[in-house]
Amino acid sequence: MRELIFFEPYFKQVLWGGHRMRETFRYPIPGDDTGEAWVISANPHGQSVVRGGTYDGQSLGQLWDQHRELFGNMDGAEFPLLVKIIDANDHLSIQVHPDDAYAQIHENGSQGKTECWYILDCEDDADIIIGHHAKNRKELKKMIDSGQWDSLLRKFPIHKGDFFYIPSGTIHAIRKGTLLLEVQQNSDTTYRLYDYDRLQDGKPRQLHLAQSLDVITCPHTDQNTRGKEEDHGSYQVCTLVSSPYFTVNRWNVKTHAAISQNFPYMLIDVTAGSGLLDKYEVKAGDHILVPSGYGMIQAQGVMELVVTHI
């Protein structure tokens, strides 16, 4: 099919959200506490909806259920990926996600959650939490039980353009002043370890200490996935990660590029700039499904694209 399918995001207002998506992408966010835009989502907790074209107004879940030919007639009860933009106006909770095996048993048969982050923008002093310093599970439990968060957690400074791969079982937290694109398994299962003793509606948010201790990888292992930047003159391309769940590439188009779509489907997130994808005008903040059988995409303009496939 030679039609690109554009989506409108589903927005979530949260305790730590902000309003940066309004200024950066001109999104019609519902309030100044908008922390998440689920830009390509078939998750029942928030679905993105097609904007224009043959499938105008249909949700991604409807496309998956009723037009499986768009996805190469893949098997599976649900669309496997979820793409978000996250605006952290405050620290997110310290958290961890289960893998497929644990979620299947303990979360009503859902997927686990492996994810990755591409930093779109951040404050000069922004940082991020990935991993921990505990040598074994006994030490991990002791440090959590006694609230030794500064000693336990691994904190890193971040910069625009950084990329992080977060396998299930990894302690992590997005921190204040960060705008990022997240590609993840289609799951909304999060176990909170610590939430800075904040109150929401006068009450602390629920923690999940037992589940977290079940699933945290110990000791922590660093993940270095990013490949070499390949310069082709009119464009640059870099593989950010190639994992069992998704492959994510960044394309910096300087004038033009040809992008091959030979997968069951492909997702394109326009993260900066503007231009053309074939006959379609695109700009930063557009999120696109390239269906099965589309073939070669001719990109023209000056723009950054994050391209994902399974």
Side-chain angles (χ1 to χ4, degrees):
M1 177 184 175
R2 291 290 295 179
E3 181 176 343
L4 298 183
I5 300 172
F6 290 72
F7 290 100
E8 294 286 358
Y10 173 84
F11 298 106
K12 292 191 72 174
Q13 294 173 273
V14 288
L15 182 68
W16 42 264
H19 53 78
R20 194 185 297 193
M21 285 186 269
R22 181 192 297 130
E23 288 79 26
T24 304
F25 299 116
R26 300 290 185 260
Y27 288 160
I29 60 174
D32 288 344
D33 58 351
T34 303
E36 300 187 1
W38 294 21
V39 296
I40 301 180
S41 170
N43 191 283
H45 294 164
Q47 298 216 23
S48 46
V49 174
V50 177
R51 182 188 78 216
T54 301
Y55 305 101
D56 184 43
Q58 296 188 45
S59 69
L60 178 54
Q62 287 176 302
L63 296 189
W64 180 258
D65 290 340
Q66 300 169 17
H67 298 282
R68 197 63 67 92
E69 71 278 2
L70 299 174
F71 308 92
N73 292 309
M74 286 184 59
D75 292 331
E78 60 183 18
F79 183 71
L81 300 180
L82 173 56
V83 183
K84 302 176 182 176
I85 292 177
I86 294 179
D87 174 16
N89 193 48
D90 199 355
H91 301 326
L92 276 69
S93 61
I94 311 301
Q95 56 189 242
V96 65
H97 306 300
D99 63 12
D100 288 343
Y102 189 92
Q104 183 75 28
I105 296 170
H106 298 279
E107 298 295 339
N108 299 316
S110 71
Q111 290 191 88
K113 187 175 175 184
T114 285
E115 62 191 79
C116 62
W117 301 334
Y118 181 64
I119 308 300
L120 300 175
D121 200 7
C122 60
E123 295 178 359
D124 291 341
D125 59 349
D127 57 31
I128 215 155
I129 289 170
I130 300 176
H132 62 85
H133 294 291
K135 299 179 184 65
N136 53 55
R137 305 201 77 82
K138 183 178 178 181
E139 184 178 45
L140 174 68
K141 185 177 188 307
K142 180 181 177 181
M143 296 178 81
I144 290 173
D145 288 346
S146 58
Q148 298 179 50
W149 302 113
D150 287 341
S151 300
L152 175 65
L153 301 173
R154 301 170 79 245
K155 192 183 298 182
F156 303 91
I158 59 171
H159 306 89
K160 182 177 180 179
D162 285 349
F163 178 82
F164 302 94
Y165 180 57
I166 317 291
S168 58
T170 304
I171 293 177
H172 62 277
I174 301 166
R175 304 259 289 172
K176 181 178 180 179
T178 305
L179 183 72
L180 61 79
L181 180 81
E182 176 176 291
V183 178
Q184 60 161 90
Q185 289 180 270
N186 182 7
S187 168
D188 198 27
T189 302
T190 295
Y191 298 148
R192 292 193 197 98
L193 273 171
Y194 180 59
D195 195 37
Y196 305 97
D197 301 316
R198 289 181 291 201
L199 300 180
Q200 185 170 33
D201 300 325
K203 300 176 182 178
R205 293 200 294 174
Q206 182 181 4
L207 300 180
H208 312 87
L209 297 181
Q211 299 98 317
S212 297
L213 285 167
D214 280 348
V215 305
I216 291 170
T217 301
C218 189
H220 171 76
T221 302
D222 281 326
Q223 302 289 325
N224 185 13
T225 63
R226 189 164 181 162
K228 183 180 179 182
E229 192 92 46
E230 299 177 11
D231 194 331
H232 297 270
S234 63
Y235 68 94
Q236 295 174 317
V237 63
C238 178
T239 299
L240 300 175
V241 65
S242 184
S243 81
Y245 304 103
F246 42 70
T247 293
V248 182
N249 298 302
R250 184 190 65 195
W251 291 69
N252 282 323
V253 180
K254 302 176 189 178
T255 55
H256 63 276
I259 303 171
S260 177
Q261 196 329 43
N262 53 6
F263 304 98
Y265 62 88
M266 179 182 283
L267 309 179
I268 297 180
D269 302 283
V270 186
T271 52
S274 62
L276 292 173
L277 296 178
D278 291 332
K279 65 181 181 180
Y280 297 90
E281 294 185 4
V282 298
K283 63 184 184 309
D286 283 339
H287 306 277
I288 302 157
L289 168 69
V290 188
S292 176
Y294 187 93
M296 195 69 71
I297 307 162
Q298 299 297 328
Q300 300 178 62
V302 180
M303 53 188 168
E304 180 182 76
L305 310 175
V306 174
V307 179
T308 302
H309 61 81
I310 55 167

